[in-house]
Structures are given as structure tokens and as C-alpha cells.
Amino acid sequence: MSQRYVVEPPAQPSLPVVGSTQLFPVRRIYCVGRNYVAHAHEMGGDPEREPPFFFSKPADAVVPQGGEVPYPPKTSSLHFELELVVAIGKGGADIPLEQALDHVYGYALGIDLTRRDLQNEAKQMRRPWDMSKGFDWSAPCTAIHPAAEIGHPESARISLAVDGEIKQDSDIALMIWKTHEIVSYLSGLVRLEPGDLIMTGTPEGVGPVQRGQTMECTFGNWDRLSVRMV
Ligand code: MN
């Protein structure tokens, strides 16, 4: 036990980095709502006239490289949302659009697991989304692929299958707000710091996943993510 703190300090959440033995420390996880036209329509919105909106998950919701994830309590409608994840490497506030990508360390693929029943209830009652979005184990994520290796992808296929059946199959080129726009806009709301992750929103095809089912995801030609709900 450390002498400095009255209880054991929490472990630093982190993600592996492809091609490195060093880790990416996770500071905050921001998430974008409704960033693909077809998904916004399936959720009953009209996104093209709306600025991006954000919610967040705790840093320790991250599940490095997937694997077995416990089905969360207090829900009977756990949904998958497959998303490009942007990892911030350089901090800043009010970052101009043309400099935004300089703040990005790399990219990963993640699943924004959602208690859809609790989220729908929260929407109806105008209550916060924290317990529908920010629960334990709610952000399975691949390792981070440094932009120094893969560049800043404007297009990449992302797909998610449940027990072999494709449910989401899209391309990050279809994001309404692009990576540089999201980084710039978000940095006008909060100061971004190294270690921040941004989940950039999901394409259409979201749906439920049950205990015992396995989600297999692809991220361009770079990576795969497998998550089994237990
Ligand atoms: Mn999402």
C-alpha cells in the first residue's frame, strides 16, 4: 500500500499499441452520437442538420482486445455499436480544423456496448445516459494502430458479425462528422489531453447480442476484434 493515498490508487487503464511494447494510457473516453446518416434514421433522428453531440464512458470501461466480456446486469437489451476509435496523442483546446489530425496518435476499432432498454427509458424521462452507456466492460477495443504506421484513414471497411451473421457492414468514409471535425469540435467543449479516446459513432445495423454469442469485427485490413458475451 502506497503511503501517499488512503486507499490503493486505481490501476491506469490502457490499450496495447501495434508494433510497440509500450502501452497507450487511457484518460477519458468520449463518444459521438449519431454520426452515420443511416443509423440516425434507424434511431429516429435527422442528423444532417444537427451538430455532433457527445457523451462519455469511464476510462476503465475499456476492454483491451476484447475476449470474454460479462453480460451486464439490469438490462435485457444489450446492443452492439461498432465504431472507429480515435486516440489523442497531443493535447489542446480550440484546435483548428487544419491542425486537428496532428493531435491524433492513432486509430482503433471499438464496440460502444449499450443497454438499449435503459437508454430508451432515459430518453423518455429526460435522464442522463451514464448507466446505459458507461457501465463496466462497455468499451471493448482493439490495439491502437499508430497514424505514423497507417496514416489517417479516410476510408476503411468496418464490419460486425454475431455468430457468423453480418449485422453491421459500413465504411468510415460515411461518417457525417470526419475525424478532424470531431477533434476540432470536441476540443472547443473540453480540453483534450494525451490518452483521450474518441468513439466516433456507429453505422446502421445495431442490434442485440445475447449471453453466449460472439461478435467478430473487422477494421479495414488492419485488425480484427472478437468479443464473446458470457
Ligand atoms: Mn455509439
Side-chain angles (χ1 to χ4, degrees):
M1 176 75 79
S2 136
Q3 297 296 307
R4 184 174 172 83
Y5 299 103
V6 296
V7 296
E8 196 65 39
Q12 171 65 58
S14 63
L15 286 174
V17 174
V18 176
S20 175
T21 56
Q22 293 181 294
L23 299 170
F24 182 89
V26 179
R27 174 181 178 258
R28 295 178 179 173
I29 305 174
Y30 296 103
C31 307
V32 183
R34 297 187 186 172
N35 199 25
Y36 289 76
V37 171
H39 173 63
H41 287 157
E42 78 182 350
M43 300 304 283
D46 184 7
E48 286 153 291
R49 301 190 196 110
E50 296 169 3
F53 68 94
F54 299 88
F55 57 93
S56 59
K57 294 176 186 265
D60 64 359
V62 80
V63 185
Q65 296 183 293
E68 293 199 337
V69 169
Y71 193 94
K74 309 296 183 194
T75 184
S76 53
S77 183
L78 181 70
H79 273 208
F80 49 81
E81 297 189 356
L82 182 68
E83 315 201 355
L84 173 73
V85 180
V86 174
I88 298 295
K90 188 173 106 182
D94 295 320
I95 299 167
L97 282 171
E98 60 275 16
Q99 291 172 20
L101 292 183
D102 299 341
H103 293 257
V104 176
Y105 174 81
Y107 298 89
L109 185 73
I111 306 176
D112 167 15
L113 287 174
T114 302
R115 285 165 164 151
R116 191 72 73 202
D117 42 3
L118 297 197
Q119 187 196 27
N120 288 338
E121 187 180 293
K123 284 178 179 174
Q124 279 174 12
M125 302 186 76
R126 301 188 176 197
R127 287 180 178 168
W129 286 10
D130 301 54
M131 292 302 115
S132 61
K133 289 289 196 178
F135 50 92
D136 299 334
W137 303 80
S138 60
C141 209
T142 65
I144 292 174
H145 295 254
E149 301 297 323
I150 69 166
H152 295 280
E154 293 175 358
S155 170
R157 182 184 176 211
I158 56 173
S159 72
L160 180 148
V162 177
D163 286 350
E165 187 180 336
I166 293 276
K167 301 290 187 182
Q168 293 192 279
D169 191 356
S170 189
D171 196 293
I172 62 170
L174 296 174
M175 294 197 304
I176 297 168
W177 297 89
K178 310 301 184 193
T179 299
H180 68 291
E181 295 172 317
I182 293 167
V183 169
S184 176
Y185 194 98
L186 180 57
S187 76
L189 291 165
V190 288
R191 184 180 169 84
L192 296 177
E193 296 290 356
D196 289 341
L197 297 179
I198 307 171
M199 304 189 80
T200 57
T202 193
E204 72 280 14
V206 300
V209 59
Q210 315 292 343
R211 228 180 242 99
Q213 289 187 315
T214 299
M215 295 174 282
E216 295 280 355
C217 312
T218 64
F219 177 34
N221 294 318
W222 300 301
D223 214 341
R224 306 179 74 84
L225 178 66
S226 179
V227 173
R228 179 175 158 79
M229 300 309 305
V230 297

